[in-house]
Amino acid sequence: MNAIATSAVSVDAIAKQFRSSTAGLSSSVATQRLAEVGPNALPAARLGPWRILLRQLGSPFIALLAVVAALSIVLGTMINGAMVILFIAINTVLGFYQEYRSERSLETLGQYIQHRVRVRRGGKTLEVGSRTIVPGDLMIVEPGDRLAADLRITAGHDVLVDESILSGESAPVHKNARTLAKAPDTQLKAANILFAGTTVVEGRAEGIVVATGRDMAMGEIAQRCSQTKRESGFEKGVRSFSYFILKLVLATLVLVFIANILLKGQQSNPVELIIFSIALAVSVIPEALPVVMTFSLSRGALKLAKQHVVVKRLSAVEDLGSMEVLCTDKTGTITQNKLRVADILSSNPDQLLLMAAVAGEPKHGSKAFINSFDRAIDHRLSAPLRRTMSKYRRIDELPFDPIRRRNSVVVEYAGGRTMIMRGAMEELLESSALTERERIPLQEWSAQEGSKGRRVIAVAIKSVGVQPRYTLKDEASDHAHPVTMVGLISFVDPIKPTTRNAIVTAKRLGLKVKILSGDSPEVASAVGKQIGLIEHMSQVMTGSEFERLSAAEQLKTIETTTVFARVSPQQKYHIIELLKHRYEVGYLGDGINDAPALKIATVGLVVDGASDVARESADIVLLDKSLYVIVNGIQEGRMIFANTVKYIKSTLASNFGNFYTVAIASLLIDFLPMLPLQILLVNLLSDFPMIAVATDSVDHQELTKPRRYDIREVASIATILGLVSSVFDFMVFAAFYRIGPQVLQTNWFIASILTELLFIFAVRTHRWMFAARRPSMPLMLLTGVAAIATIVIPYSSIGHSVFQFVTPRPGDMAIIIGIAISYMICTEAVKLAYYRHLNNHHASPPRLRVAS
């Protein structure tokens, strides 16, 4: 039986079931039961460090790079092999760090409830560690206590509890010991259950522990966290790209080898051909991709850190750029989670505030109020009112009762006694002497404030003169002193100053924003209207309404509904799970209840002040509590995506071009058009400046829409531009192959690298290359260094002895430069035609998707 089920069971039946009593369990029974059920702790089923480390090496791209490193060493290019091994090490370390932090979320969830609590055992009140609590223990809680287990209240009728950490509901809820007629369908309606992780705001209660450890409501959240395995858009893109390259390499090895054997027959050298085929296949692989990505992501994370954003999972920076839907909790994210007095209806506002403050929770020194309404009223008091308030002496009080719907206090001031009542307007109006006509303005004002999502309380007084013995016992029989309405106060949880601008900018970036709130439909609707997400309350759907829909209707609803209210943690999880079938989803939350949703989302974000569990489940922490930095993060993520795709397109197109040409040329001549060592040197020098692509500027149109990796689109443009490259490679082949093998190999080496370096500046934009934003200085510098090295090496002794180059003839460089300039002009024309056709084919910029 879970905690919610016990809400419809009588206290006596529960005590009998758990063999408990008003004296609590005996020490011996508690010890025996602890041995049977285990400690009050959440299961920590996390992977050990070694298993996490080994899992990093199972990545298909890492496996591919490992093969490249081994082959490079076999072919004698130790530097190339060492660099690839370095790339693997960087990737493995980063992956290990990310997953290790993610797996710690369950551990933190368990630590959240490790503290000492008061229980009654054998008739004595004791303080024990929260891990030693067992079902059947009689627990005692007071204001400020955080619950360590789920318990059924047995005594206490005026308990106020903050459940926002679980439900997302910002207002405290009332709890009592009354048995419900039937078990509720959600924890929000379990009025006689205190849940682990929540905090007592007012009142004192006793209760029998009915659930500990994994059986608690918090245990369900922990189970969801442990079962949730996330693969981000970044990881899906890299995995898809890795398999694409792997298939291409394997096909290359087989086709080139078989074609040479069939065409050349006995003239072919199988050993030399195998080495050549392997080198050719290796040349297609963009081995610098991990370094480019790591550098880009680290650079993005550092930029966000300057804006007080902590990036826990490095690849989440790029995932921000692919985000299409941002789901957010309301309390503490869109709003400040700090109630403020919004408006006052009274002929004497100062008296209203004074009476409301005097009737509230007494303040003890500098200790802050636990009750959010008292905090808001106290914040509004002026210095003169505070001085006056200190002169009131509290004689008697009756805490808030959900049946009476008000609290009452009797105070003494200037020799006279006054009873102050604070609570629901309807109840106080019934007790007042106001006529029906006089009540209408108050009712209309209250309804108007409620439509704005504000909470309203009424304050009334009963002056009883100088009766020194008047207490609350006299309230029911006192008809001589009329109740006078002092006025109404409305409260609001204010929208954060940056929220509206952030929402507007998010929409401009093509980002859909949805609210998943535990608050009432009225409050959620008011917030949605204030920030421009909806226009009418009819556009709000509650969690229970959503659950009653069929699966098909739910899929349709998540597309059209922007604001969800009264949503449980399980419902938040389900909504995000459905959205992920169609979109890359980000989730912004801050409570324990948000942990599963944060973990399943493509990107989990929390604000500073979020629960430890939420912080550990999240990928990104916003330290300054501003939604606006998310927008900056999205732009940063899209820049990283654009630069990563630049590298992939540039490398693949260049490599494809060289691959096609060298492979075909090897079939036409009786010597290798380029030696294996020379092929790998081309690969190394052309990749060298590409590391600086991470620093490159990005055209503004690249930032206006969410982007995803589309292997088909990348392969298409790479193939088309690769064919263009092949045409000009054949021009080099035609110009030099009759002169001799070494002359062809040397000049082909120079032409290949120079054209690839120029190609970087063409592929970095969809526009005419000279109309694009200026390239970054690091990119231009490294490109210059690579170009100089390309020209110098054939003239050097190392180039002659190690790579078997010959010194180019005087006219050779002029031919190569002429071919390179012609190549750039042709490449620009083909590129512009391709993107013009692509844009005409799509009415709007395409949404890039991962191809399977």
Side-chain angles (χ1 to χ4, degrees):
M1 182 183 294
N2 61 29
I4 294 178
T6 64
S7 60
V9 181
S10 69
V11 171
D12 290 340
I14 292 173
K16 184 177 180 181
Q17 177 184 347
F18 289 99
R19 301 195 300 277
S20 186
S21 67
T22 55
L25 299 175
S26 66
S27 296
S28 59
V29 170
T31 302
Q32 180 183 352
R33 193 163 294 178
L34 182 62
E36 294 172 356
V37 303
N40 177 34
L42 296 171
R46 64 188 184 100
L47 295 174
W50 284 109
R51 288 184 62 189
I52 295 175
L53 181 62
L54 291 174
R55 194 161 64 180
Q56 306 311 307
L57 300 176
S59 164
F61 197 79
I62 294 297
L64 192 60
L65 289 183
V67 173
V68 172
L71 293 176
S72 298
I73 293 171
V74 169
L75 295 174
T77 53
M78 296 299 294
I79 295 177
N80 195 69
M83 287 187 68
V84 174
I85 292 172
L86 179 62
F87 299 159
I88 293 174
I90 292 172
N91 244 30
T92 303
V93 170
L94 286 175
F96 172 81
Y97 173 75
Q98 293 159 11
E99 289 201 20
Y100 183 75
R101 289 296 297 259
S102 178
E103 293 296 334
R104 284 185 55 203
S105 60
L106 271 181
E107 180 184 4
T108 304
L109 188 54
Q111 290 174 349
Y112 190 82
I113 61 168
Q114 299 307 313
H115 53 275
R116 299 189 70 78
V117 297
R118 288 183 297 280
V119 297
R120 187 173 296 136
R121 288 181 178 173
K124 296 180 180 179
T125 301
L126 308 171
E127 275 199 2
V128 299
S130 63
R131 291 177 62 89
T132 64
I133 297 171
V134 295
D137 260 328
L138 189 66
M139 191 184 298
I140 303 163
V141 293
E142 294 178 345
D145 286 352
R146 190 173 72 235
L147 277 298
D150 294 347
L151 62 112
R152 167 71 155 83
I153 299 175
T154 58
H157 299 279
D158 307 304
V159 184
L160 202 59
V161 180
D162 179 1
E163 287 189 342
S164 62
I165 200 82
L166 284 176
S167 68
E169 169 71 66
S170 57
V173 295
H174 302 282
K175 300 286 185 174
N176 56 66
R178 287 187 293 274
T179 303
L180 303 183
K182 64 175 183 177
D185 52 357
T186 69
Q187 64 187 31
L188 298 174
K189 301 175 183 177
N192 53 11
I193 304 295
L194 298 179
F195 294 100
T198 62
T199 304
V200 179
V201 176
E202 285 185 8
R204 182 181 183 277
E206 295 182 3
I208 295 176
V209 174
V210 292
T212 60
R214 70 175 71 232
D215 297 325
M216 301 183 297
M218 191 186 290
E220 296 179 13
I221 297 174
Q223 186 176 9
R224 284 184 178 272
C225 280
S226 64
Q227 293 174 349
T228 301
K229 301 299 177 187
R230 169 174 55 197
E231 184 181 32
S232 69
F234 173 86
E235 291 163 342
K236 286 187 286 187
V238 171
R239 174 173 52 81
S240 183
F241 178 71
S242 301
Y243 285 126
F244 168 73
I245 292 295
L246 184 60
K247 293 174 185 176
L248 181 65
V249 168
L250 292 176
T252 300
L253 285 170
V254 175
L255 290 176
V256 173
F257 184 81
I258 293 177
N260 272 274
I261 293 293
L262 292 177
L263 292 175
K264 297 182 178 179
Q266 294 182 348
Q267 294 181 355
S268 61
N269 183 335
V271 176
E272 184 183 65
L273 191 56
I274 289 173
I275 295 174
F276 171 74
S277 300
I278 291 173
L280 192 60
V282 167
S283 71
V284 179
I285 298 171
E287 65 262 30
L289 179 61
V291 168
V292 171
M293 287 182 168
T294 300
F295 188 44
S296 296
L297 295 171
S298 300
R299 200 164 170 269
L302 286 173
K303 283 186 178 180
L304 291 176
K306 293 177 181 177
Q307 301 175 45
H308 307 290
V309 178
V310 177
V311 178
K312 293 174 52 187
R313 179 171 61 87
L314 202 57
S315 60
V317 180
E318 186 175 274
D319 287 334
L320 277 174
S322 68
M323 190 194 305
E324 298 166 291
V325 179
L326 173 62
C327 297
T328 174
D329 190 11
K330 176 192 70 66
T331 306
T333 52
I334 290 177
T335 63
Q336 298 178 19
N337 196 23
K338 295 178 181 178
L339 283 185
R340 293 286 184 267
V341 174
D343 207 349
I344 290 174
L345 178 65
S346 176
S347 59
N348 190 340
D350 282 350
Q351 185 195 22
L352 174 60
L353 287 171
L354 178 62
M355 293 298 99
V358 172
E361 170 195 349
K363 190 173 184 180
H364 304 287
S366 60
K367 187 177 180 181
F369 289 105
I370 298 176
N371 188 303
S372 55
F373 290 99
D374 288 329
R375 281 199 302 267
I377 294 169
D378 181 71
H379 182 75
R380 188 68 177 266
L381 290 179
S382 64
L385 287 179
R386 292 179 190 277
R387 287 194 293 269
T388 303
M389 180 181 170
S390 65
K391 298 176 182 178
Y392 280 81
R393 187 168 66 90
R394 185 171 297 216
I395 304 300
D396 198 6
E397 65 180 303
L398 188 61
F400 186 94
D401 188 321
I403 295 178
R404 297 171 65 246
R405 299 178 65 197
R406 65 177 183 268
N407 73 297
S408 305
V409 299
V410 174
V411 294
E412 189 173 79
Y413 175 74
R417 292 196 175 187
T418 303
M419 184 175 69
I420 309 173
M421 292 166 283
R422 192 180 83 171
M425 179 196 67
E426 298 82 3
E427 296 299 322
L428 295 185
L429 284 179
E430 287 300 318
S431 304
S432 73
L434 294 178
T435 65
E436 288 296 327
R437 186 174 181 179
E438 290 171 329
R439 295 179 184 183
I440 291 175
L442 283 84
Q443 293 168 334
E444 290 179 346
W445 188 87
S446 178
Q448 184 180 6
E449 293 298 293
S451 67
K452 298 177 184 177
R454 297 173 178 177
R455 298 178 175 88
V456 177
I457 65 170
V459 178
I461 61 173
K462 181 186 289 190
S463 297
V464 294
V466 293
Q467 299 183 39
R469 296 182 180 178
Y470 191 94
T471 66
L472 288 170
K473 294 178 182 178
D474 304 305
E475 179 187 2
S477 59
D478 179 19
H479 302 292
H481 302 91
V483 173
T484 302
M485 290 292 295
V486 182
L488 306 179
I489 305 175
S490 67
F491 298 83
V492 65
D493 185 1
I495 302 294
K496 291 182 177 178
T498 56
T499 297
R500 292 181 183 87
N501 287 338
I503 295 295
V504 170
T505 308
K507 287 182 178 179
R508 192 166 64 245
L509 291 173
L511 181 69
K512 298 180 181 179
V513 179
K514 296 181 184 290
I515 293 177
L516 309 182
S517 175
D519 256 317
S520 68
E522 292 79 12
V523 173
S525 169
V527 171
K529 286 189 283 188
Q530 286 182 65
I531 63 177
L533 287 182
I534 61 172
E535 296 179 357
H536 307 288
M537 185 175 167
S538 59
Q539 295 171 275
V540 179
M541 174 169 282
T542 64
S544 56
E545 290 171 343
F546 181 76
E547 270 197 343
R548 289 195 291 269
L549 299 176
S550 65
E553 289 173 330
Q554 287 182 347
L555 286 173
K556 183 179 178 181
T557 299
I558 60 173
E559 293 283 349
T560 58
T561 303
T562 305
V563 180
F564 293 86
R566 293 287 187 217
V567 182
S568 69
Q570 293 81 4
Q571 290 162 348
K572 286 182 182 180
Y573 183 95
H574 183 50
I575 290 171
I576 292 175
E577 194 174 36
L578 292 177
L579 283 169
K580 282 192 69 179
H581 290 313
R582 301 183 182 181
Y583 303 102
E584 296 295 338
V585 184
Y587 180 65
L588 177 61
D590 65 349
I592 291 175
N593 63 310
D594 294 320
L598 286 165
K599 197 169 183 185
I600 195 178
T602 306
V603 186
L605 308 102
V606 296
V607 294
D608 186 32
S611 69
D612 290 348
V613 182
R615 265 200 306 272
E616 288 298 324
S617 296
D619 305 306
I620 294 175
V621 181
L622 314 178
L623 297 183
D624 63 358
K625 298 186 177 181
S626 171
L627 283 177
Y628 207 80
V629 295
I630 297 177
V631 175
N632 292 334
I634 289 171
Q635 292 175 325
E636 193 65 41
R638 291 181 185 177
M639 287 179 63
I640 291 170
F641 174 88
N643 284 333
T644 302
V645 172
K646 281 179 195 178
Y647 169 78
I648 294 173
K649 287 181 179 179
S650 177
T651 304
L652 286 187
S654 301
N655 291 353
F656 279 0
N658 287 334
F659 160 68
Y660 298 146
T661 311
V662 174
I664 295 172
S666 69
L667 304 175
L668 304 177
I669 54 180
D670 57 1
F671 60 88
L672 295 179
M674 196 175 288
L675 300 178
L677 200 58
Q678 294 168 350
I679 292 174
L680 294 176
L681 183 61
V682 168
N683 205 31
L684 183 63
L685 283 176
S686 60
D687 267 347
F688 173 68
M690 294 304 293
I691 296 174
V693 165
T695 69
D696 196 21
S697 55
V698 176
D699 290 339
H700 293 297
Q701 59 265 35
E702 291 289 314
L703 308 177
T704 57
K705 293 289 181 183
R707 305 289 180 184
R708 295 188 187 184
Y709 286 103
D710 186 345
I711 300 305
R712 290 192 180 95
E713 195 273 334
V714 171
S716 296
I717 186 65
T719 300
I720 293 170
L721 295 180
L723 289 172
V724 173
S725 176
S726 292
V727 170
F728 286 88
D729 282 337
F730 275 116
M731 291 183 184
V732 176
F733 176 76
F736 299 109
Y737 86 96
R738 290 187 181 90
I739 302 173
Q742 286 186 300
V743 172
L744 173 63
Q745 292 163 354
T746 301
N747 291 326
W748 205 338
F749 163 79
I750 297 172
S752 294
I753 297 180
L754 292 183
T755 52
E756 284 191 41
L757 296 179
L758 289 173
F759 182 70
I760 294 173
F761 297 96
V763 81
R764 62 181 292 272
T765 178
H766 291 185
R767 305 161 65 191
W768 171 245
M769 62 183 296
F770 295 110
R773 295 185 66 189
R774 184 179 177 180
S776 69
M777 186 57 67
L779 179 60
M780 290 192 290
L781 286 175
L782 291 187
T783 300
V785 170
I788 293 171
T790 300
I791 296 171
V792 169
I793 287 175
Y795 290 92
S796 68
S797 58
I798 294 177
H800 296 164
S801 61
V802 177
F803 297 101
Q804 299 182 38
F805 291 133
V806 294
T807 302
R809 298 175 305 170
D812 291 350
M813 287 303 299
I815 295 173
I816 291 171
I817 291 173
I819 291 175
I821 293 173
S822 302
Y823 166 71
M824 279 307 302
I825 295 172
C826 186
T827 295
E828 279 290 285
V830 172
K831 179 195 73 174
L832 293 172
Y834 174 83
Y835 285 118
R836 190 179 299 116
H837 169 75
L838 194 66
N839 290 333
N840 289 338
H841 186 264
H842 299 279
S844 59
R847 216 174 61 179
L848 304 181
R849 293 191 176 276
V850 176
S852 58

